[in-house]
Amino acid sequence: MQAIGIDVGGSGIKGAIVDTSTGELVSERLRLASPEGFGRDDVLDTIAAVVHDLHAPADLPLGVGFPSQVSGGVTRTDPTSHEHPGWKGTEVAAPVAERTLRRTVVGNDADVAGLAEVVFGAAGGRDGVVLVLTLGTGIGSALIHDGVIVPNIELGRIFLQGEDLVAEYQAASRIRTEEGLSWKQYARRLDRYLDQIDRVFAPDLVIVGGGIVKKHEKWLPRLTVGCEIVPATLGNNAGIVGAALSAARHSE
């Protein structure tokens, strides 16, 4: 089966057609910049524009990974890492379906990335506690126990000991760029965050995704936290693949 997967991020909205039996992208991976201000209608219109530009068959369902807690296609929080309130309690699935004329399902972006890693990636066949962390504009997180996702866990929003900023304002990939941190400095920031995660959750495996995973050799070997840490098998496509998987499963 094929489905469309859309990954909504703070800097870009990405999408592709996915073969949900293999996890492979069967179309070009398209990306449009996220609208300045991340306004509701602008974001929904951009999602629809990406879907339109894929020129997918009319019967393909659509899955969207969105950077907030999501329940029943409705946001429960404002988008991660954005200081633009007004999204909480907003319908996302219904207006996207209206704009695209497709069956649409919406989930937390890190949760759908976690689903992709369970089915096709590093979390496959792993028992115990697995965390998927997506490092981008913010820090998304998926908590998985024995292959089952516990939805809407926002570990990017925790406070580190002795700090008055949430973790994603200190250790997201965006922060490394904005503050001009070296890879060594960034790894030290990330290590501190992961150490707190390790002490609280004692994960058996941490999978790190997001665009920064393309350069994991520059920072991953510098981490000293005790738990096992690996880059996402699907890289920055995990969100697209997982969103498509979610759409296909809801269409069965």
Side-chain angles (χ1 to χ4, degrees):
M1 180 176 182
Q2 293 184 354
I4 301 169
I6 300 291
D7 183 12
V8 178
S11 61
I13 296 175
K14 307 175 288 291
I17 302 171
V18 179
D19 183 334
T20 57
S21 65
T22 64
E24 295 180 356
L25 274 56
V26 295
S27 74
E28 180 184 3
R29 178 180 180 271
L30 301 182
R31 181 187 186 278
L32 293 178
S34 296
E36 185 176 353
F38 215 76
R40 176 187 179 276
D41 287 337
D42 290 339
V43 169
L44 297 177
D45 287 344
T46 304
I47 293 171
V50 174
V51 174
H52 176 270
D53 290 348
L54 287 170
H55 302 292
D59 60 341
L60 294 194
L62 168 63
V64 179
F66 197 81
S68 75
Q69 294 177 338
V70 179
S71 179
V74 179
T75 61
R76 298 181 59 183
T77 57
D78 288 326
T80 302
S81 78
H82 282 280
E83 297 178 357
H84 302 287
W87 277 93
K88 185 177 181 180
T90 296
E91 288 268 4
V92 177
V96 168
E98 292 172 1
R99 284 167 165 80
T100 62
L101 302 179
R102 294 180 186 276
R103 293 164 291 163
T104 302
V105 60
V106 179
N108 172 267
D109 58 345
D111 285 347
V112 299
L115 173 62
E117 288 294 323
V118 168
V119 177
F120 298 116
R126 293 293 297 255
D127 293 330
V129 176
V130 177
L131 284 174
V132 177
L133 300 175
T134 57
L135 305 176
T137 304
I139 298 177
S141 58
L143 175 63
I144 304 163
H145 182 248
D146 289 346
V148 178
I149 295 174
V150 181
N152 291 319
I153 303 297
E154 293 284 8
L155 298 182
R157 302 191 181 207
I158 67 171
F159 287 85
L160 303 183
Q161 287 185 321
E163 299 289 345
D164 58 0
L165 292 173
V166 295
E168 65 186 5
Y169 283 103
Q170 301 182 63
S173 175
R174 169 177 63 95
I175 300 302
R176 187 195 72 82
T177 302
E178 290 182 354
E179 297 188 12
L181 300 176
S182 68
W183 289 110
K184 182 178 180 180
Q185 290 171 322
Y186 178 68
R188 191 179 300 121
R189 292 264 193 106
L190 188 58
D191 217 19
R192 187 161 177 260
Y193 168 63
L194 291 171
D195 181 67
Q196 184 156 319
I197 292 295
D198 187 37
R199 285 186 284 112
V200 173
F201 289 92
D204 297 288
L205 174 67
V206 175
I207 301 168
V208 181
I212 198 172
V213 79
K214 291 181 292 187
K215 298 183 178 180
H216 66 85
E217 73 282 353
K218 295 182 180 294
W219 51 268
L220 191 58
R222 300 178 187 271
L223 301 179
T224 63
V225 65
C227 56
E228 181 184 0
I229 303 177
V230 299
T233 302
L234 299 176
N236 204 25
N237 287 336
I240 293 174
V241 174
L245 270 175
S246 182
R249 290 186 172 189
H250 278 78
S251 299
E252 292 176 351

